[in-house]
Amino acid sequence: MNEAFAYAERGAPGQIPDVPGGWDHLFGEMLIDITIIGILFTVITVYLLIRYRRREQGQEGNPPRLTTAAAIGWAIIPAFIFMADDFYLAAEGWTLFNEYRRVPENAYEVKVEGSMWSWHFIYPEGVESFGELRVPAGTPVVVRMTSKDVVHSFFIPDFRVKQDMMPGRMTYLWFYPKAPGEHLITCAEYCGLMHSGMKGMIKVVSQDEFNNWIETEKKNNNT
Amino acid sequence: MYATEEALRHKPGFGQTLREWIFTIDHKRIGILYLIGSLAAFAVAGLMALLIRIELGSLGPTLTSNPGTYNVWLYFHGAAMILAFQIPALTGFLANYLVPLMIGARDMAFPRLNALSLWLYWAGIILALLTFVIPDPPDVMWTGYPPYSLKTGGNTAFYVFTVHLMGFSSIVGGINLLTTIFYMRAPGLKLNKLNIFVWSTMGAFVLQLVFIPVLAAAVTTLLFDKYLGTHFYDPANGGDVLLYQNLFWFYSHPAVYVILLPTIGMIFDIVATFAKNRVFNYNMVVYGGIGGVVLMSGEVWIHHLFTSGMPDWIRIGMMISTLLISIPVGLLMIGLLGTLYRGAIQYTTPMLYAVGFIFLFLIGGLTGIPNAMTAIDLYIHDTHFVVAHFHYVMAVATTFAIFGSVYYLFPKMTGRMYSETLGKIGFFILFAGVNITFFTMFIVGFKGMPRRYYDYQQFPQLEGLHHIITIGAYIIGIAALLILISWIHGLIAGKKAPDNPWGSKSLEWTTSTPPPPGNFRELPILTEEWHPYGYGRSK
Ligand code: HEM
Ligand SMILES: [Cu+2]
Ligand SMILES: [Cu+2]
């Protein structure tokens, strides 16, 4: 069941989808959608409020009688219009969600353990780091996470991803750092005193630099 | 009905001695005592909000250098606003005061039970206020997620017992109100002639009775885990952290409709009265809108757990069900706008609050849509965007409905008129303040600022926006003071109110002002033609 939903993919296999780009695009589309609805309702409301203000003392409303057909129509037709918009948005949202959940093949896998109030990264080579996650540019990265104590949430605003981590369960998210640079990690689930200070950095470096770093760290560990 | 007869023997008038109020079993006085309690909770929780906003107004420590203090403010603000202000103001004050009057009953079905529910609520308020007295106040936020709520040195038991007391109070009140609505309507008052407020209160209490036990189970197991050594939420011993989040939201999503339904019901009544118009498409509003919300409310809770690690298929399913909630909510909006159509709208203070509600609710409802879209929510969940959404749609919109209702009922409750000038000034300042505050909050959230943050060193570029939000909070504070002054002014210096200053057709306005014990000198006899919204040609 889970698989069927998560892997109902779009695009050619092997191609890495642009998730943050997709998010920005869908958010923009959705913003246009709700702005149109909002303006429509606002204009109608303002019109009604001005047009039907009371002109004289003791005046009462004078609405036409609603026939049964009209009454049913006024329920069914708007319901279907709303439903159509809901399904349109749901379809778009589903597609993007699948991209979020489908980890590209050959992704570089890092383990993260959260604890009050820091992040502990464990690389497949056996190297470890605290607070700073180093990854190579040009390779998708999947982060498998859990927590030592309470619920935290691994949030990378730049990559538009967020996933809670908690004791007793393993969760994941993935992102695709295309170019060298730095990206903030910040905790998004209330975890006590230093919740707002529970931050970290993703350092994206070139593949060569990354390999060197791993080698140096390995040596440091051995000595 | 023995207790009702006793209520009838009470001296008429406003109640001059404390004794008369403390031992009262009259639904109107109980309603007013609920109002006093909820306004007190609003004042303290509002003060906390101001402290929170001052703290966030600039980077770094501002008011306190201890994040723990800030966390307690935030805990109290959220828990008290929801449990001690909004739910009791709607299902305690308004439901108690209005439902028996609207259905032409002499009192509630069980007046003594009603007093019990009131005093359980006051005990809850006192327990909540002890937060500021005990050395280890709770700091678990209104959601109380474990394992944090189990590991914290804060006193989670106070949170749990506050929820228990409020829950008991609400269950007792719910049984009473549903019985009253079903068995105590005036002769001739058929179900399809009930005020929308009565229908929506019925919906709210059905939700309370069905879902409160789930919340009670969630917080009670929390208590067991923390103090008795059970392992419901301890994965090391076979427990599961996510169980709590599921139980909590299985109640707390319906709870937002417990708040929404009476809110929008009151707005319908205010709009119909001041537009002197029938409610547009009554059956659609009652069965499609209110009924639809009640039926769908239990199938969407996963939208609060989109980033929690629930299976993908249920996240997709509840994205769709959440989006579909826009159907009943949309029908309610159409009902409201249709009620304006060909009306004769009179802009009194309560009507301004109703109009304010429409705009706030529109913005709040529409910004629920990005939250509902799972993929979009993966970014905005637990940011200030969500905080802005639920303040627009619930916190602020409902506060507008409550304030509007207090103005609306002011003449009936106190026998005096408030000053329209003062009332309107308060409204416009409040409307400006909430929009400055909460619209800016959408932008801050969109830029990635998480919620429940004591500081934001990692987002220094947001300081300017945070500053604006805090200015908005000051404006809200000033407006709240003005509103309070307008009520006190009305109480002391207001003109004597006529029985029916708004010219309403609804039953609560047909009795004298303030209503005598037993409500009606003679029980109303309703004709075939009578309708609470029977204005103009639609008679
Ligand atoms: C069509 C209408 C609505 C939709 C689609 C919607 C959707 C959502 C979603 C998906 C969330 C979770 C967002 C997140 O945490 O990331 C949310 C949060 C919330 N909503 Fe709504 N909502 C709607 C209307 C309402 C109404 C009517 C109320 C209350 C009267 C309400 C009150 C809340 C509250 C209190 C929260 C946040 C709770 C918390 O995390 O502390 N919403 N809404
Ligand atoms: Cu945290
Ligand atoms: Cu919800």
Side-chain angles (χ1 to χ4, degrees):
Chain A
M1 190 68 167
N2 209 346
E3 301 259 300
F5 275 82
Y7 292 88
E9 67 198 68
R10 98 171 164 186
Q15 199 178 313
I16 301 162
D18 174 18
V19 166
W23 191 95
D24 289 350
H25 176 77
L26 184 55
F27 189 85
E29 219 171 69
M30 184 278 323
L31 201 60
I32 293 173
D33 187 286
I34 63 176
T35 309
I36 292 175
I37 303 174
I39 289 177
L40 205 69
F41 267 95
T42 305
V43 168
I44 296 173
T45 311
V46 170
Y47 169 79
L48 292 171
L49 288 173
I50 296 173
R51 172 72 180 76
Y52 296 110
R53 65 189 187 282
R54 187 175 78 166
R55 319 276 160 140
E56 73 218 27
Q57 200 95 33
Q59 188 190 345
E60 291 196 355
N62 186 24
R65 204 168 258 298
L66 208 58
T67 60
T68 312
I72 294 174
W74 269 105
I76 301 288
I77 295 170
F80 273 94
I81 295 176
F82 293 133
M83 191 154 51
D85 193 40
D86 290 341
F87 279 126
Y88 167 73
L89 291 169
E92 300 267 298
W94 190 341
T95 311
L96 182 62
F97 183 64
N98 282 332
E99 292 180 350
Y100 265 96
R101 301 303 294 162
R102 184 179 146 267
V103 182
E105 289 167 55
N106 311 327
Y108 183 68
E109 183 167 323
V110 183
K111 290 207 165 55
V112 188
E113 213 171 54
S115 61
M116 290 152 107
W117 293 275
S118 68
W119 319 96
H120 177 198
F121 302 98
I122 304 156
Y123 300 78
E125 292 82 3
V127 170
E128 299 181 15
S129 69
F130 284 90
E132 190 180 276
L133 170 63
R134 249 176 221 250
V135 292
T139 310
V141 179
V142 57
V143 183
R144 309 245 172 224
M145 50 189 129
T146 181
S147 164
K148 274 202 198 127
D149 39 44
V150 304
V151 185
H152 305 277
S153 193
F154 195 78
F155 178 27
I156 319 168
D158 286 351
F159 292 119
R160 310 280 186 266
V161 288
K162 176 186 297 120
Q163 175 61 56
D164 290 6
M165 45 173 65
M166 72 211 86
R169 277 180 187 248
M170 187 72 96
T171 52
Y172 75 90
L173 60 74
W174 73 272
F175 60 94
Y176 181 35
K178 286 186 195 148
E182 294 201 333
H183 305 277
L184 175 76
I185 310 167
T186 194
C187 181
E189 182 59 61
Y190 176 67
C191 57
L193 209 57
M194 297 304 293
H195 167 51
S196 59
M198 187 166 166
K199 54 189 188 231
M201 206 42 102
I202 295 182
K203 220 182 197 136
V204 188
V205 297
S206 70
Q207 186 75 49
D208 289 343
E209 213 177 310
F210 181 74
N211 293 345
N212 288 341
W213 178 74
I214 290 278
E215 289 310 316
T216 331
E217 288 294 303
K218 266 203 221 162
K219 277 201 206 96
N220 289 351
N221 282 359
N222 292 341
T223 49
Chain B
M1 227 152 263
Y2 167 71
T4 314
E5 280 163 16
E6 192 178 302
L8 280 173
R9 281 202 303 275
H10 270 294
K11 281 195 296 286
F14 201 73
Q16 305 297 329
T17 66
L18 196 59
R19 239 188 98 85
E20 273 180 89
W21 283 90
I22 291 178
F23 292 104
T24 188
I25 50 171
D26 178 312
H27 73 98
K28 299 180 290 300
R29 285 190 187 167
I30 289 178
I32 289 172
L33 289 173
Y34 261 112
L35 174 63
I36 293 170
S38 57
L39 289 179
F42 175 77
V44 183
L47 198 63
M48 293 303 115
L50 203 55
L51 298 182
I52 291 163
R53 278 322 313 175
I54 296 172
E55 182 56 56
L56 291 178
S58 47
L59 268 171
T62 313
L63 270 187
T64 171
S65 53
N66 178 3
T69 311
Y70 174 90
N71 291 343
V72 173
W73 295 341
L74 193 54
Y75 157 77
F76 186 88
H77 170 73
M81 282 294 193
I82 293 174
L83 295 172
F85 166 55
Q86 295 210 323
I87 294 181
L90 297 164
T91 63
F93 157 55
L94 286 170
N96 259 303
Y97 195 89
L98 275 177
V99 167
L101 286 169
M102 279 180 169
I103 66 172
R106 292 216 177 274
D107 205 305
M108 299 279 269
F110 310 113
R112 283 172 203 287
L113 215 53
N114 208 15
L116 174 67
S117 129
L118 170 74
W119 294 112
L120 282 171
Y121 162 62
W122 270 93
I125 287 204
I126 290 166
L127 199 62
L129 283 173
L130 285 179
T131 298
F132 302 113
V133 180
I134 56 176
D136 54 347
D139 66 337
V140 297
M141 302 302 144
W142 83 282
T143 44
Y145 281 8
Y148 181 72
S149 53
L150 305 175
K151 291 193 194 281
T152 174
N155 199 327
T156 305
F158 269 69
Y159 163 72
V160 173
F161 290 139
T162 307
V163 171
H164 279 164
L165 283 171
M166 298 304 186
F168 274 134
S169 162
S170 218
I171 286 178
V172 172
I175 293 168
N176 204 349
L177 251 141
L178 290 180
T179 315
T180 308
I181 297 173
F182 283 120
Y183 293 109
M184 310 229 348
R185 297 192 306 273
L189 183 49
K190 295 200 235 53
L191 281 177
N192 64 3
K193 285 185 178 178
L194 289 181
N195 291 63
I196 300 293
F197 177 72
V198 178
W199 272 112
S200 63
T201 300
M202 203 168 13
F205 273 117
V206 168
L207 292 178
Q208 286 287 66
L209 291 182
V210 172
F211 291 103
I212 282 182
V214 182
L215 176 70
V219 296
T220 307
T221 43
L222 214 54
L223 198 69
F224 288 174
D225 263 20
K226 182 157 175 135
Y227 300 99
L228 300 180
T230 54
H231 302 289
F232 289 100
Y233 305 120
D234 173 12
N237 287 290
D240 185 1
V241 170
L242 278 188
L243 172 64
Y244 179 88
Q245 296 184 18
N246 278 283
L247 291 176
F248 182 86
W249 287 109
F250 191 65
Y251 165 73
S252 291
H253 182 81
V256 306
Y257 295 119
V258 169
I259 292 174
L260 169 70
L261 287 176
T263 295
I264 209 157
M266 248 352 266
I267 297 294
F268 266 102
D269 266 275
I270 292 175
V271 167
T273 295
F274 292 108
K276 290 288 174 299
N277 210 353
R278 81 317 174 222
V279 163
F280 177 71
N281 217 348
Y282 181 94
N283 288 329
M284 169 192 83
V285 169
V286 171
Y287 300 106
I290 298 174
V293 165
V294 168
L295 286 180
M296 295 176 78
S297 65
E299 290 104 58
V300 298
W301 78 95
I302 295 294
H303 66 224
H304 298 275
L305 282 74
F306 279 157
T307 70
S308 294
M310 294 300 289
D312 294 342
W313 61 268
I314 199 170
R315 290 195 254 183
I316 291 296
M318 294 223 182
M319 162 176 77
I320 297 171
S321 59
T322 302
L323 285 168
L324 290 177
I325 290 256
S326 65
I327 296 174
V329 172
L331 292 182
L332 289 171
M333 274 307 255
I334 290 180
L336 270 180
L337 297 192
T339 306
L340 297 173
Y341 178 67
R342 294 244 222 153
I345 305 164
Q346 183 193 359
Y347 289 101
T348 57
T349 307
M351 185 61 191
L352 286 181
Y353 275 97
V355 171
F357 169 89
I358 293 178
F359 288 110
L360 297 167
F361 187 70
L362 187 63
I363 296 177
L366 288 173
T367 53
I369 290 174
N371 296 345
M373 294 168 71
T374 318
I376 299 291
D377 191 57
L378 294 183
Y379 175 73
I380 55 183
H381 172 69
D382 266 341
T383 67
H384 273 61
F385 192 94
V386 170
V387 180
H389 156 69
F390 70 73
H391 276 83
Y392 262 103
V393 79
M394 178 180 96
V396 173
T398 293
T399 302
F400 269 57
I402 293 170
F403 286 0
S405 305
V406 173
Y407 281 112
Y408 182 59
L409 294 175
F410 198 87
K412 185 63 39 185
M413 287 191 297
T414 65
R416 291 177 185 274
M417 299 300 289
Y418 59 87
S419 148
E420 286 287 357
T421 322
L422 279 178
K424 285 179 182 167
I425 294 174
F427 166 81
F428 283 110
I429 298 178
L430 186 66
F431 193 71
V434 295
N435 281 299
I436 292 171
T437 295
F438 294 108
F439 206 85
T440 318
M441 219 177 261
F442 278 124
I443 305 170
V444 169
F446 176 73
K447 297 202 184 256
M449 165 96 183
R451 63 194 282 207
R452 297 171 172 174
Y453 265 29
Y454 156 77
D455 196 17
Y456 45 102
Q457 298 296 337
Q458 55 274 60
F459 299 97
Q461 71 278 16
L462 297 182
E463 193 180 15
L465 290 172
H466 271 298
H467 201 71
I468 296 175
I469 299 180
T470 302
I471 292 173
Y474 278 116
I475 298 176
I476 295 172
I478 292 170
L481 277 183
L482 273 174
I483 291 163
L484 185 66
I485 290 173
S486 83
W487 289 337
I488 294 173
H489 172 268
L491 264 182
I492 296 172
K495 284 200 296 284
K496 208 172 147 5
D499 288 350
N500 189 357
W502 315 131
S504 173
K505 295 265 154 79
S506 181
L507 282 184
E508 76 271 25
W509 296 101
T510 60
T511 180
S512 58
T513 281
N519 293 345
F520 301 91
R521 298 215 187 288
E522 270 157 54
L523 272 187
I525 295 167
L526 304 174
T527 58
E528 269 304 302
E529 291 80 53
W530 175 87
H531 196 282
Y533 308 120
Y535 299 100
R537 215 174 60 189
S538 61
K539 242 179 270 233

